[in-house]
Amino acid sequence: MPNYSNNRGRNSFSARDDEKATAAYNFVSLPDKILPSELDDYRQDLLSDDEERIHRAFCSFLQKKGKLSGHIDLDMETLTPLFIGGNGEQPFSPAGRVILPGSTIRGMVKSLLKIVSCGSWHGDEDINDRHVYFRCLMAPSKAPLWMKDLHKLYSNRMTTGKQKNTKMGILAKDTHGNYFVYPLLPNRTPQRILIREYEENFRGGASIPIRNSSTIEWHEDQAYIITGSQKREKLINTQAAYDRLSGDEKKKKGKQMIRYFSLKNVDWSIKHRFPVPDAVVNDYVEDTNRRGVNLLENKDGRLSADRATALGANVSEDIVSVIPCGYLAENGEITAFGHGLSFRIPYQNGIMDAVPAALKKDTIDFAAAIFGNKERWASRVFFEDAEPEGNIEKLATATAHPLLQPNPTSYQLYLKQDGNKLKHWDANGAKIRGYKMYWHDKTSDWKATPNEEKLTNVVRRITPIKRGSKFQAKIRFQNLSELELGALLMVFDLAGNRQAAAYKIGQGKGLGLGSVKIKSKLYLDTPETYTTLFTDGILSENNVHDSGKTYLDAFEKYVNEQGLSRCWQQTMREVAEMLDWNHAEKTAGWAERVKSMSGDVQNDTVDERFRTRAILPTVDEVYKG
C-alpha cells in the first residue's frame, strides 16, 4: 500500500512533473453543442417511421443541395510500424498482398469527421455505454480524499448502518440464457469457518495461497466461498482462540474466515427468485478489470442442475446450472452480483450519463448526413482499399505488449477534473473529457517484456509492416453539398494548414504503432464524367483537380454562423496538436510525456501514479510541456 503520510499534491491538480499522469492518449475538448448539418432541416421527415416520407425528404435534399461528386486520392506512408490484423498474427493480406482495408480508413475518417464537425454522441455507436465497476473496501486515516470519497460511496451501497445490503444466494442460468438469483431461506445465513480449520479439514493442512486464490469449493451440498487468505503466521488456529479475542484484536488480525452455506438452505421458489436484467449481466461481462472468480465462466464452482438436485436442491425444470454468489437487489430485481460479499459493483451512472446533454440530441450531424443511416438514408462516401506501392516488407513476428481496452475505471484520466475534489462517475457534474485520440511516438517499443509474454490470455503475436511502406487509396463521394464536402475535407485540411499532420490507424495505437502520413488531392466530377466513360478503350476519369479551399472556407463560415467558432477553434487546435508528427519527432523528451503508465503485470505491480490518482494533463499542457 502506498505511503499516505505526505498528501501534498494528492488532492490538488498542481503537482511535480513526476507526479503527473502520462498516457499514450489524450482527449480533444468537446463542443458546446452539435453542429447541425443541412440534412437536419429534414429531420422530422427523416426520423419518421414512414419509408415513403423518408425517401421523399432525402431526394428533395439531394436535388437542392447534393450537387458535388468526385473522389479524393490518398497517398499514404507509414511513419511507424503498422498492424491491421487479418489472418491471425499476419497483416491483412487478401490475394497474398498486404493492403489497408477501406473499412479501416473509413473508420478513421468518420471518427475525425465527428470531431472536426462538432458531432453528436450516441451510446454504443460513439462510445461503449456501460456502467464502470469499482471497489474500495477501506480508507486509512491518512488516505487521500479521493479514496475516502470512494470508500464512502462503496460502503453506502453495500451497507445501511451496521446492516449489510449484500446477501448470498445462488446465481442460476435457465434454458433461454436468462439469469436469476435464488436467495437463502429466511433466517438462514451463511456460516463461517476459520481458514486454518478449513485447511486442516479439507486441504490436508495445505495453505490457501495469499494471492490469486479466490475460488468456490464444494464439499457435498456445502459451497465454500474462498476470497483469499493472508500470511500463515497471522492465521488463528482454532475457533476457541478466535472467540477469546476482543473486537479490536480481531480487526488487527485481519481476514480469518471462509463463508459457506448449504444448497438445502436456498429458497428455490420461482416466486421468490430475483431476475437479473440483461443490462446488469452485460455490465458484468464488460468489467474486464475484475480479478478472481468470473461467475459466468467459472467451471469449478458451477454445478449442473442435475448435480444440484442430487445434492438436495429443489431446482426448477428450466434451470441448467447454478453457482454461489453475493448480490444486491432493489425493487425486486438484481442490481449487482459478484463473488463473496465484498464484490465489485457498478457506478449508478453509466458512461453516457457523463456526456453533456447538448451533445445527445437527435440532431443530424455531418457524420450521419454523409455516412448515412442504414435504416433511413444511404451513405454517400465509399472507401476503396489502399493498394501497396511496390513490395511491402514486414517486421519479424513477435509478441506485442497487451493490446488493452480503454480503462474508464481510471476516472481521473477520463473525466474532467476542475476542482480540489476528484470526480468519479457518480459525482455531481461528472463530464467526460472529450474525444479520445492517440499521440504519435516514434520511439515506443511495441514488443512485450519477458514477463508479459507469459500472459498468453492477454497478449498476442503480430507481424507489423515496416515504416516507410507506401499505399494509395481513394475515397469516392456522390451528391454532397458544399458544406458537406468542406466538412469531409477538413479531416485532411487540403488547404495545407497542417502539413505536419499524421494519422493513426490499425491496432496497437497506444503502443506507438499505426502513425501514417497522408497526402490528399481532391478531384471533382464534370459533366463529361458521365458522357465519356471510355477513351481509346480505357476507362476515363473525366474530373478536375480542386484545392478544396472554397468548400473549406464555406464550412468554417457556417461554423461561425452557428455560434461555435470559439469551441471549434479550440477543438481544431487540439486536433492539430494530437496529429503533429514533427513535434513528436523533434521535441526533446517527447516520449516521456506520452508514455503509458504501467507496471509489472506478471508480478502485479502498478505505477504509483495510478494509486495516487494523478491527473492527466490537457492536450495543450502535454504539447507545450
Side-chain angles (χ1 to χ4, degrees):
M1 178 173 289
N3 179 6
Y4 298 118
S5 59
N6 178 4
N7 287 330
R8 187 191 72 78
R10 295 293 188 248
N11 299 319
S12 66
F13 296 174
S14 59
R16 302 190 309 263
D17 285 343
D18 60 353
E19 293 176 329
K20 294 179 181 178
T22 59
Y25 57 84
N26 213 295
F27 299 88
V28 172
S29 299
L30 297 174
D32 297 332
K33 61 180 182 179
I34 302 168
L35 179 67
S37 67
E38 296 158 296
L39 193 60
D40 189 60
D41 293 341
Y42 301 79
R43 185 198 321 165
Q44 187 173 356
D45 292 328
L46 290 170
L47 299 185
S48 73
D49 295 326
D50 186 333
E51 292 186 9
E52 182 60 31
R53 184 178 171 188
I54 294 170
H55 179 71
R56 285 198 307 268
F58 189 55
C59 289
S60 176
F61 166 77
L62 295 182
Q63 290 171 359
K64 293 179 181 178
K65 299 283 188 178
K67 306 296 185 183
L68 299 170
S69 298
H71 66 268
I72 302 171
D73 282 344
L74 304 179
D75 290 328
M76 310 173 70
E77 180 179 358
T78 60
L79 301 175
T80 64
L82 181 147
F83 180 71
I84 297 174
N87 181 18
E89 62 190 31
Q90 292 299 314
F92 192 69
S93 308
R97 69 184 190 282
V98 176
I99 66 170
L100 306 183
S103 58
T104 296
I105 303 170
R106 184 183 193 275
M108 179 204 73
V109 172
K110 186 176 181 181
S111 295
L112 284 173
L113 179 61
K114 276 268 188 180
I115 299 173
V116 302
S117 64
C118 306
S120 60
W121 286 65
H122 300 284
D124 297 328
E125 178 183 336
D126 304 298
I127 196 170
N128 183 7
D129 184 20
R130 62 185 178 92
H131 289 78
V132 177
Y133 276 64
F134 76 104
R135 184 172 75 158
C136 190
L137 295 177
M138 61 183 68
S141 59
K142 294 182 180 180
L145 181 59
W146 69 262
M147 182 178 286
K148 293 178 179 178
D149 285 344
L150 207 58
H151 173 63
K152 182 179 179 180
L153 180 68
Y154 185 79
S155 297
N156 288 344
R157 294 272 302 281
M158 304 298 272
T159 60
T160 300
K162 295 184 178 180
Q163 183 70 34
K164 282 186 176 293
N165 296 330
T166 52
K167 310 292 182 184
M168 298 204 79
I170 289 289
L171 178 68
K173 182 180 181 180
D174 74 5
T175 53
H176 301 290
N178 301 314
Y179 287 90
F180 302 89
V181 169
Y182 290 86
L184 299 185
L185 288 164
N187 301 319
R188 296 289 195 275
T189 58
Q191 297 175 279
R192 302 195 304 170
I193 182 174
L194 285 170
I195 293 174
R196 285 294 295 121
E197 289 187 345
Y198 181 85
E199 291 171 343
E200 291 296 329
N201 293 345
F202 298 108
R203 286 175 162 251
S207 297
I208 295 173
I210 295 175
R211 300 169 65 185
N212 303 322
S213 59
S214 291
T215 188
I216 298 166
E217 295 184 356
W218 288 91
H219 301 284
E220 298 300 328
D221 60 305
Q222 306 279 358
Y224 289 81
I225 318 303
I226 300 172
T227 57
S229 186
Q230 61 169 313
K231 292 181 180 179
R232 195 173 182 85
E233 59 268 22
K234 289 187 176 182
L235 293 175
I236 298 170
N237 291 322
T238 66
Q239 186 66 45
Y242 183 79
D243 291 340
R244 288 194 294 269
L245 297 178
S246 67
D248 288 340
E249 288 174 327
K250 290 177 180 178
K251 287 183 179 180
K252 290 180 181 179
K253 288 290 184 179
K255 183 176 182 60
Q256 297 289 332
M257 297 290 185
I258 293 173
R259 287 185 171 85
Y260 67 99
F261 64 88
S262 169
L263 285 173
K264 298 173 183 178
N265 289 336
V266 176
D267 184 349
W268 294 103
S269 166
I270 292 178
K271 179 181 178 181
H272 294 151
R273 71 184 183 182
F274 297 99
V276 185
D278 289 344
V280 174
V281 175
N282 293 337
D283 284 338
Y284 183 88
V285 171
E286 292 276 359
D287 181 25
T288 56
N289 285 60
R290 186 192 316 105
R291 301 180 184 182
V293 176
N294 182 328
L295 294 176
L296 303 185
E297 298 180 358
N298 185 274
K299 295 180 180 179
D300 296 332
R302 186 188 309 134
L303 297 181
S304 68
D306 290 342
R307 177 60 178 159
T309 300
L311 292 173
N314 187 19
V315 182
S316 61
E317 293 182 356
D318 63 331
I319 298 302
V320 296
S321 65
V322 300
I323 191 169
C325 73
Y327 67 90
L328 287 171
E330 188 175 333
N331 298 323
E333 65 179 22
I334 298 300
T335 58
F337 64 89
H339 180 61
L341 287 177
S342 299
F343 49 87
R344 289 166 61 81
I345 60 175
Y347 290 98
Q348 292 180 316
N349 289 335
I351 293 178
M352 274 298 289
D353 291 317
V355 176
L359 301 181
K360 295 188 288 188
K361 298 180 178 180
D362 60 2
T363 304
I364 300 175
D365 61 17
F366 277 88
I370 295 171
F371 281 78
N373 180 316
K374 62 182 179 180
E375 298 176 352
R376 298 178 183 277
W377 64 90
S379 173
R380 287 171 285 148
V381 284
F382 312 93
F383 293 80
E384 297 181 3
D385 295 333
E387 295 288 344
E389 232 183 77
N391 184 46
I392 301 299
E393 297 184 21
K394 307 174 188 177
L395 295 175
T397 302
T399 302
H401 288 302
L403 297 173
L404 300 178
Q405 299 299 311
N407 184 22
T409 55
S410 300
Y411 53 78
Q412 75 280 10
L413 307 181
Y414 279 75
L415 295 178
K416 292 180 69 174
Q417 306 294 346
D418 51 10
N420 288 331
K421 187 175 180 179
L422 280 178
K423 290 181 178 177
H424 50 67
W425 293 97
D426 279 350
N428 290 332
K431 299 297 180 188
I432 60 170
R433 293 186 61 162
Y435 305 98
K436 188 177 183 180
M437 294 182 65
Y438 286 88
W439 295 106
H440 296 298
D441 181 9
K442 69 170 187 175
T443 66
S444 180
D445 184 3
W446 56 273
K447 296 179 182 178
T449 65
N451 277 340
E452 289 174 336
E453 288 186 356
K454 300 174 185 177
L455 303 175
T456 55
N457 60 323
V458 295
V459 297
R460 62 176 295 193
R461 290 174 64 78
I462 63 174
T463 309
I465 61 175
K466 290 184 177 181
R467 62 176 300 176
S469 301
K470 295 182 178 181
F471 297 85
Q472 292 182 336
K474 195 183 295 288
I475 304 172
R476 297 189 183 275
F477 57 89
Q478 292 179 348
N479 304 117
L480 296 185
S481 72
E482 292 190 0
L483 292 183
E484 289 172 335
L485 182 55
L488 180 61
L489 297 180
M490 194 61 69
V491 171
F492 304 103
D493 193 353
L494 299 183
N497 292 332
R498 287 188 296 281
Q499 292 298 322
Y503 299 80
K504 280 278 196 176
I505 63 172
Q507 296 167 280
K509 299 181 186 71
L511 307 181
L513 300 179
S515 294
V516 178
K517 188 83 170 179
I518 300 178
K519 294 180 180 179
S520 43
K521 289 184 179 181
L522 169 66
Y523 293 89
L524 295 176
D525 289 351
T526 66
E528 289 75 23
T529 302
Y530 305 100
T531 57
T532 308
L533 292 180
F534 294 92
T535 301
D536 296 329
I538 300 174
L539 182 65
S540 176
E541 295 216 27
N542 289 298
N543 40 48
V544 294
H545 174 255
D546 191 292
S547 70
K549 187 176 185 306
T550 298
Y551 312 110
L552 287 162
D553 289 346
F555 177 75
E556 185 167 357
K557 180 182 178 183
Y558 178 70
V559 171
N560 295 338
E561 292 171 348
Q562 294 295 315
L564 282 165
S565 178
R566 181 196 59 78
C567 62
W568 183 75
Q569 291 291 345
Q570 179 180 357
T571 294
M572 296 303 291
R573 183 187 72 251
E574 291 175 356
V575 169
E577 291 172 350
M578 294 292 301
L579 298 181
D580 190 346
W581 173 257
N582 285 348
H583 195 74
E585 189 173 41
K586 299 177 181 178
T587 302
W590 178 253
E592 290 301 313
R593 295 191 210 171
V594 298
K595 182 180 181 180
S596 294
M597 297 182 295
S598 60
D600 188 329
V601 290
Q602 181 72 11
N603 294 318
D604 196 27
T605 60
V606 179
D607 191 301
E608 187 67 12
R609 290 172 293 176
F610 274 122
R611 299 187 190 277
T612 57
R613 299 278 174 171
I615 308 301
L616 185 67
T618 65
V619 171
D620 283 343
E621 289 170 340
V622 175
Y623 187 78
K624 297 172 183 176

